[in-house]
Amino acid sequence: MPKASVRMAYAYDRLRAYPPEVAGRIATAIGNALGVRGEEAVLLELGVGTGRIALPLIARGYRYLALDKDPAMLEVFRQKVAGVMRKVRLLEADARAIPLPDESVHGVIVVHLWHLLPDWPKALAEALRVLKPGGVLLEGWDEMEAEEERLIQERWRSLVEAEGVGVVRGLHRKRLEEVEEALKRLGLRPKTKQVVQWREERTLRQALEALEERLYSFTQAVPEEVHERIMPELWAWAEREFGHLDRPFILERGFTLRTTRMA
């Protein structure tokens, strides 16, 4: 397993995690949306990552199928659930070819994944295929806003573009809209609700580390050599612009859940 992949998995775990009370409220919203009665609910998460959505649901007793194509992410997740593996099955697989039979799960969870897949309709079709009648597709995403983080990301983009490389932003939002339209064309009725808002303290150093470890999807298409070349310039600029990099700022965050029930 490449060391860079392992490092990125641990960085993701540290910098993109939810506070425990927020994770609990997200789990409650998902459980309420499932509405399973009289049988043990089985959940499948596509792109489980290091388990920030999964862990509180597993703690509540759900049977959990955790799918990810990145072995480094799955390894971090596996370490966390070592004591409850009887309730968990790890699937190292691609979301566009889910290794499960038709109509086998009560809920499919998809958080920050569609925009990473150029042929996302295949993954959507697979997600709907494995859902039981009356099952629920549960799509979630974060909203984050802080002026300091925006300025750092804009500076990163300007440095990348000065190297002759374009940066595409906004694909995540566009893809969510495309998926919603696809669901409606199938006669389904997606319902969207923000389930929790919170404020979080973050440091300038952490904002820079998130970019350096390429935790945001808009960084993925930038060639590695370009990214490595501009990062020292970005760190130096941030020190000149902001001063002490361990100075905290407030990040406004929210989590939105879109639920679509099968007929």
Side-chain angles (χ1 to χ4, degrees):
M1 193 181 303
K3 289 183 179 179
S5 297
V6 175
R7 188 183 71 242
M8 180 178 175
Y10 280 105
Y12 187 92
D13 201 42
R14 181 168 59 89
L15 297 170
R16 299 295 298 271
Y18 298 123
E21 66 277 10
V22 170
R25 289 183 64 179
I26 293 170
T28 296
I30 289 173
N32 290 343
L34 274 174
V36 175
R37 300 287 185 271
E39 58 180 318
E40 186 178 33
V42 180
L43 293 172
L44 165 67
E45 184 175 353
L46 305 182
V48 69
T50 60
R52 61 180 184 160
I53 298 292
L55 292 170
L57 288 163
I58 294 166
R60 295 178 188 208
Y62 290 103
R63 285 180 55 206
Y64 216 87
L65 307 175
L67 182 148
D68 206 297
K69 69 175 185 177
D70 186 338
M73 291 285 188
L74 278 180
E75 176 57 23
V76 174
F77 177 70
R78 185 193 63 76
Q79 293 171 16
K80 293 180 180 181
V81 297
V84 290
M85 282 301 290
R86 67 181 184 83
K87 284 281 189 180
V88 182
R89 179 181 167 195
L90 305 186
L91 301 171
E92 186 179 329
D94 194 302
R96 293 162 291 189
I98 299 172
L100 294 173
D102 295 354
E103 300 182 1
S104 55
V105 302
H106 297 87
V108 175
I109 299 170
V110 185
V111 177
H112 288 282
L113 179 66
W114 301 131
H115 62 297
L116 302 178
L117 304 172
D119 50 353
W120 60 268
K122 288 184 180 179
L124 177 59
E126 281 287 273
L128 299 181
R129 176 184 67 79
V130 300
L131 276 170
K132 292 175 178 287
V136 186
L137 176 65
L138 302 133
E139 304 169 78
W141 60 89
D142 296 333
E143 306 281 356
M144 295 189 287
E145 185 175 333
E147 181 65 10
E148 293 87 346
E149 194 146 283
R150 184 188 69 78
L151 289 171
I152 288 171
Q153 291 181 6
E154 284 299 311
R155 183 63 178 179
W156 175 88
R157 179 166 72 171
S158 69
L159 290 170
V160 169
E161 291 179 343
E163 295 277 342
V165 178
V167 177
V168 178
R169 299 290 303 266
L171 180 58
H172 174 247
R173 178 64 58 186
K174 179 174 182 289
R175 189 57 48 78
L176 286 171
E177 293 170 358
E178 291 171 343
V179 171
E180 183 173 24
E181 287 304 311
L183 292 168
K184 289 179 177 178
R185 285 195 299 271
L186 293 170
L188 299 170
R189 300 175 62 186
K191 298 179 181 179
T192 302
K193 181 181 180 181
Q194 187 176 70
V195 297
V196 60
Q197 290 180 295
W198 72 102
R199 305 180 83 207
E200 193 173 296
E201 191 174 89
R202 183 167 294 194
T203 67
L204 298 162
R205 188 179 305 279
Q206 288 174 320
L208 287 159
E209 287 174 348
L211 278 172
E212 186 160 62
E213 297 295 343
R214 309 182 78 160
L215 301 187
Y216 301 111
S217 58
F218 61 81
T219 67
Q220 298 300 310
V222 176
E224 183 64 30
E225 62 272 15
V226 172
H227 181 72
E228 289 184 356
R229 192 158 54 241
I230 64 98
M231 281 307 302
E233 295 182 55
L234 183 65
W235 281 91
W237 169 84
E239 286 190 301
R240 293 193 304 270
E241 184 75 13
F242 299 108
H244 202 297
L245 296 183
D246 291 313
R247 176 171 66 83
F249 62 91
I250 297 299
L251 184 65
E252 302 282 349
R253 296 187 66 180
F255 185 86
T256 298
L257 186 67
R258 183 163 71 196
T259 61
T260 305
R261 189 171 297 279
M262 301 295 287

